[in-house]
């Protein structure tokens, strides 16, 4: 799959306790164009309510709707640390927005802070590592001690990546490292639950491998793929928050959408 564009825009994002209706990004595969009145389109409309209903129950679901060549397949997952209510709200927003943004495509995906949703008229994406399309966010500010920071970041990522591939953790790993008396590094990684342990580790390795290219010495970074998600910040952004911690607004970020 080849994309004919790259996008570079400046954003100011706010990390809030309640998930907003604004996604981090989306992908509408123009190579899978369908007509609005087609059976595939109707099946997508029937699949989405099922994803909205079932995802908050466990935080993850794969499903399908329809028969034969018109059948469509869906996957939806919430970030493993968010509440059932926040998960439900996020998936509802995702289902609503994805049809508005990808009206005529059979292959579509949408990313939020708290959830990810995709569908396709082919089932081959389920259980497979997909890093064909990525979204990269990074802070415009650099750290003051890159050598120490990168050493601690690498150690933290190794620790939470190992945590994520353990079956009991459902693909989620998160943790923090004290950099100094006044500075703490927070990080979270997550794979979609359809991946095997080996495939989860592979996806996370690819995602983290983007740090030197897109996020070198940056105070914060996010890499979003269809099969996994990684993020680090110098402020708390995952739950549960410590007794002295609160969610804070992000600094100016740059986001890069890249095939």
């Amino acid at each position: 799959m080849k994309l004919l564009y790259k996008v570079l825009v400046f954003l100011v994002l706010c990390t809030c306790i309640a998930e907003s209706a604004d996604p981090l990004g989306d992908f509408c595969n123009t190579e899978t164009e369908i007509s609005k009145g087609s059976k595939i389109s109707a099946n997508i409309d029937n699949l989405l309510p099922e994803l909205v209903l079932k995802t908050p129950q466990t935080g993850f679901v794969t499903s399908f709707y329809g028969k034969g060549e018109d059948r469509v397949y869906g996957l939806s997952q919430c970030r493993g640390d968010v509440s059932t209510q926040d998960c439900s709200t996020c998936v509802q927003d995702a289902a609503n927005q994805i049809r508005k943004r990808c009206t005529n495509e059979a292959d579509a995906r949408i990313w939020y802070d708290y959830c990810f949703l995709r569908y396709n008229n082919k089932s081959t994406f389920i259980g497979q590592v997909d890093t064909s399309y990525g979204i990269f966010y990074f802070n415009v500010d650099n750290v003051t001690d890159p050598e120490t920071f990168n050493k601690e970041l690498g150690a933290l990522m190794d620790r939470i990546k190992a945590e994520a591939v353990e079956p009991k953790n459902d693909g989620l790993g998160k943790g923090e490292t004290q950099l100094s008396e006044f500075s703490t590094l927070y990080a979270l990684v997550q794979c979609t639950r359809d991946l095997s342990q080996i495939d989860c580790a592979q996806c996370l390795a690819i995602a983290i491998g983007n740090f030197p290219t897109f996020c070198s010495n940056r105070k914060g970074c996010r890499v979003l793929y269809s099969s996994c998600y990684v993020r680090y910040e110098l402020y708390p952004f995952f739950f549960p928050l410590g007794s002295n911690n609160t969610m804070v607004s992000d600094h100016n970020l740059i986001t890069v959408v890249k095939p």
Side-chain angles (χ1 to χ4, degrees):
M1 178 187 310
K2 293 184 179 180
L3 300 177
L4 301 180
Y5 61 88
K6 296 181 182 179
V7 180
L8 180 63
V9 295
F10 290 86
L11 296 177
V12 178
L13 299 179
C14 177
T15 303
C16 305
I17 293 199
E19 177 72 359
S20 74
D22 296 323
L24 295 173
D26 59 66
F27 171 63
C28 310
N29 186 357
T30 56
E31 297 179 1
T32 63
E33 188 170 341
I34 54 175
S35 62
K36 290 184 179 180
S38 69
K39 189 65 175 177
I40 291 178
S41 183
N43 287 340
I44 291 171
D45 288 334
N46 283 295
L47 172 68
L48 288 173
E50 187 172 347
L51 297 180
V52 170
L53 176 66
K54 292 183 177 180
T55 306
Q57 297 174 16
T58 61
F60 171 78
V61 70
T62 59
S63 190
F64 64 85
Y65 193 93
K67 299 179 180 180
E69 294 181 355
D70 296 323
R71 177 176 286 181
V72 292
Y73 303 83
L75 179 153
S76 182
Q77 177 164 305
C78 288
R79 219 175 69 192
D81 62 308
V82 304
S83 69
T84 300
Q85 180 57 53
D86 284 339
C87 176
S88 178
T89 299
C90 186
V91 177
Q92 289 179 51
D93 287 340
N96 181 48
Q97 288 295 318
I98 198 170
R99 283 301 269 160
K100 290 181 178 179
R101 294 164 181 261
C102 304
T103 307
N104 301 317
E105 289 79 26
D107 174 17
R109 311 160 206 185
I110 193 164
W111 291 261
Y112 283 79
D113 260 340
Y114 289 175
C115 66
F116 168 73
L117 184 150
R118 72 180 298 184
Y119 55 77
N120 200 321
N121 63 331
K122 308 294 183 184
S123 64
T124 50
F125 71 89
I126 297 175
Q128 299 296 320
V129 175
D130 187 349
T131 56
S132 61
Y133 179 86
I135 300 174
F136 309 87
Y137 282 79
F138 56 89
N139 198 302
V140 298
D141 295 327
N142 289 329
V143 297
T144 56
D145 184 358
E147 184 176 353
T148 299
F149 179 83
N150 289 323
K151 179 181 178 181
E152 295 294 340
L153 174 62
L156 178 57
M157 282 294 170
D158 285 344
R159 175 159 57 89
I160 63 176
K161 183 172 66 174
E163 180 181 313
V165 300
E166 294 182 15
K168 65 179 182 179
N169 293 323
D170 291 328
L172 177 70
K174 58 189 176 76
E176 60 187 76
T177 294
Q178 194 77 27
L179 299 179
S180 69
E181 183 180 357
F182 304 105
S183 179
T184 301
L185 175 63
Y186 302 84
L188 180 147
V189 301
Q190 184 167 6
C191 297
T192 54
R193 293 191 210 169
D194 58 316
L195 295 187
S196 67
Q197 290 175 264
I198 293 175
D199 287 342
C200 176
Q202 178 188 350
C203 189
L204 293 177
I206 293 171
I208 295 168
N210 285 287
F211 286 174
T213 302
F214 292 98
C215 310
S216 180
N217 303 330
R218 303 292 187 175
K219 288 185 175 180
C221 180
R222 275 178 265 188
V223 178
L224 298 90
Y225 284 128
S226 298
S227 294
C228 64
Y229 164 96
V230 301
R231 181 180 181 183
Y232 72 82
E233 305 287 355
L234 288 175
Y235 57 81
F237 64 91
F238 53 75
F239 301 100
L241 297 176
S243 58
N244 296 321
N245 295 328
T246 57
M247 291 291 191
V248 299
S249 297
D250 280 334
H251 297 289
N252 289 348
L253 300 178
I254 295 177
T255 178
V256 179
V257 181
K258 194 178 188 307

